[in-house]
Amino acid sequence: MTQHLAAPAAPTTGTHTGWWRDAVIYQVYPRSFADGNGDGMGDLEGIRSRLPYLRNLGVDAVWLSPFYASPQADAGYDVADYRAIDPMFGSLLDADALIREAHELGLRVIVDLVPNHSSDQHEWFQRALREGPGSPLRERYHFREGKGANGELPPNDWESIFGGPAWTRVADGEWYLHLFAPEQPDFNWEHPAVRDEFRSILRFWLDMGVDGFRVDVAHGLVKAAGLPDIGAHDQLKLLGNDVMPFFDQDGVHEIYRSWREVLAEYSPSPSVGGAPSERILVAEAWTPTVERTANYVRPDEMHQAFNFQYLGTHWDAAELRKVIDASLDAMRPVGAPTTWVLSNHDVTRHATRFANPPGLGTQLRTAGDRELGLRRARAATLLMLALPGSAYVYQGEELGLPDVTDLPDEVRQDPSFFRATGQDGFRDGCRVPIPWTVEGPSYGFGSGGSWLPQPATWGALSVEAQSGDPSSTLELYRSALAVRREQPGLGAGDAVEWLEGPEGLLAFRREGFVCTANTTGEPIRIDVPGRMLLASERVRTSVDGTAELPADTTVWWAV
């Protein structure tokens, strides 16, 4: 039976301006994007050589994961010098050339900032170790005496996100806090020198011409006073603080208000793509609710925050509608755009994640799994790009890349893989270098090999193999981003108009546009709402004015 789409009341429309409100931002993981010198490791020169590809893909900005001087204990998220480039990635001259060329191509550049912790090789931390207990440098981190008769027990019961205790004891008997790896000691953000240093770091990179910062672990900088045990968490809840004592403390917001003042000194920047460019802050803030996330994007704080609640949603119409509504509702009062993201360098790629029902893991057991995961991933992408706000694309998702789930243990580098508990420890699977060509020693990644082995099937998924093929995932992304630019009803805004339909169909209207997503495993027939703009799979329309939406398919319509 044909299902009719009935509309409730029209939505409100936002009136804010700013390039970042409807931007599509492409995440580059430098190790795995392109290798310019043939050493098997991606670098800044490799990224610069591929900037025309990103411009032609149709994205607005590039976000670069860390490239700072680092011992690489956590793939660069352990920074030894925030004003230097690690030699494995190049030099400051390479960074300058990349930023300048990106701007010439109309692309903005956002860099990662890692303020929660430094490397244990950072000058401050090394001096703190050398100078011993009582050193003023130790006050810039969290050094504490241990518990027990001889201080042999950690100062509290906190555990590292990577597993094991969040404390490590040094030779003189004191302990230091690290919410991640032992090589990543946490800064003490109550110390004025730490705050002054990071305002200086912001200015250094703004002077280099960057257009913004993605702030790593933005929710973690401030710890609860006294560093209370997790066992006291229930008491904290009674006090109205339904967050862990080391995450999402209210004190972080004062920090970001001061950073916003720094960025205001540099905005607007010289024109990018013919228009003045506002510098922005983007929060990686894992919070209990989208309402708590909204605190980070109040008018005088950050501009965007990652929507992890959306990333974690299953391919299910009811779940998706609920989180979309909650996300839009939470951001509307603070005037911030909602962001949408499906994959990044820390999670299983959505082409793999959507292949299996919840609870069955991420191993692709059959070719059918691979086909189903890709089909849902394509549909999810069109749904994401139709929503009001800004979208993030992780490198390689435009090729439909799955996670590499069969990497041998001896090649893995994720620090959490080597810990007993904590994160999954399989983040290497989404970090395998992406393929550019059908053949070659690393499928065009570089002239040599690659730091993580690529599957033998990688060539068939390469940019070269997919370019010009109208049925390919790459051409779907190119078409979607082109249509998004052309359609005034896509991108910025703060609401959608839901259309009622059969169970499993997610349908909404925006200005001059309708999106229909069949999240079920069976076809659904609907009245054609307008002219078909784009579909994630082939859709047949009938002379009677109806269309059959295949299983797991999203369609865009002009109305």
Side-chain angles (χ1 to χ4, degrees), residues 312-316 319 352-363 365 372 376 519:
T313 305
H314 302 126
W315 182 238
D316 175 86
E319 284 190 45
T352 296
R353 197 170 67 247
F354 287 153
N356 294 323
L360 292 185
T362 57
Q363 184 72 33
R365 299 177 301 279
L372 176 61
R376 289 176 172 173
T519 66

Side-chain angles (χ1 to χ4, degrees), residues 354-396:
F354 287 153
N356 294 323
L360 292 185
T362 57
Q363 184 72 33
L364 295 181
R365 299 177 301 279
T366 67
D369 287 343
R370 161 72 181 145
E371 181 181 351
L372 176 61
L374 179 59
R375 186 184 187 94
R376 289 176 172 173
R378 288 163 58 96
T381 294
L382 287 196
L383 173 62
M384 174 183 77
L385 292 175
L387 294 168
S390 179
Y392 282 77
V393 172
Y394 177 50
Q395 65 175 46

Side-chain angles (χ1 to χ4, degrees), residues 51-176:
L51 288 176
Y53 164 79
L54 297 178
R55 177 200 58 192
N56 295 334
L57 182 62
V59 299
D60 300 290
V62 181
W63 153 35
L64 303 175
S65 292
F67 46 67
Y68 307 108
S70 167
Q72 303 295 316
D74 185 22
Y77 283 93
D78 51 318
V79 181
D81 187 342
Y82 290 85
R83 297 176 180 84
I85 307 296
D86 196 282
M88 70 188 293
F89 296 126
S91 67
L92 281 173
L93 289 177
D94 293 319
D96 179 72
L98 190 160
I99 294 167
R100 290 177 183 272
E101 188 163 328
H103 286 173
E104 290 170 2
L105 293 171
L107 295 169
R108 295 171 176 85
V109 178
I110 297 170
V111 298
D112 239 311
L113 188 66
V114 188
N116 179 69
H117 48 262
S118 73
S119 164
D120 62 353
Q121 299 305 303
H122 191 284
E123 178 187 7
W124 286 3
F125 192 77
Q126 286 294 301
R127 281 185 55 194
L129 292 181
R130 289 194 302 269
E131 294 175 5
S135 166
L137 272 298
R138 293 204 174 190
E139 296 174 7
R140 300 181 186 185
Y141 294 90
H142 293 279
F143 278 87
R144 295 287 189 277
E145 293 182 356
K147 293 180 178 179
N150 300 301
E152 71 277 10
L153 299 176
N156 67 24
D157 63 357
W158 295 4
E159 291 190 0
S160 162
I161 304 303
F162 288 162
W167 296 89
T168 290
R169 197 177 193 187
V170 300
D172 56 46
E174 287 195 337
W175 299 73
Y176 68 88

Side-chain angles (χ1 to χ4, degrees), residues 176-214:
Y176 68 88
L177 175 69
H178 53 87
L179 292 183
F180 294 87
E183 297 88 351
Q184 295 168 291
D186 279 43
F187 283 117
N188 174 17
W189 273 89
E190 303 299 332
H191 199 290
V194 175
R195 300 193 177 209
D196 289 345
E197 171 68 356
F198 272 88
R199 283 192 291 267
S200 174
I201 292 168
L202 290 175
R203 289 189 170 93
F204 178 87
W205 288 103
L206 290 167
D207 287 337
M208 284 281 288
V210 303
D211 300 283
F213 302 89
R214 175 267 191 187

Side-chain angles (χ1 to χ4, degrees), residues 273-318:
S277 180
E278 185 175 356
R279 314 295 182 95
I280 69 168
L281 294 167
V282 182
E284 185 215 23
W286 293 85
T287 65
T289 65
V290 289
E291 290 77 18
R292 293 287 301 184
T293 301
N295 291 337
Y296 291 78
V297 289
R298 289 175 286 198
D300 60 347
E301 295 189 40
M302 297 200 183
H303 299 76
Q304 292 183 347
F306 286 150
N307 188 345
F308 292 116
Q309 284 80 10
Y310 183 76
L311 184 150
T313 305
H314 302 126
W315 182 238
D316 175 86

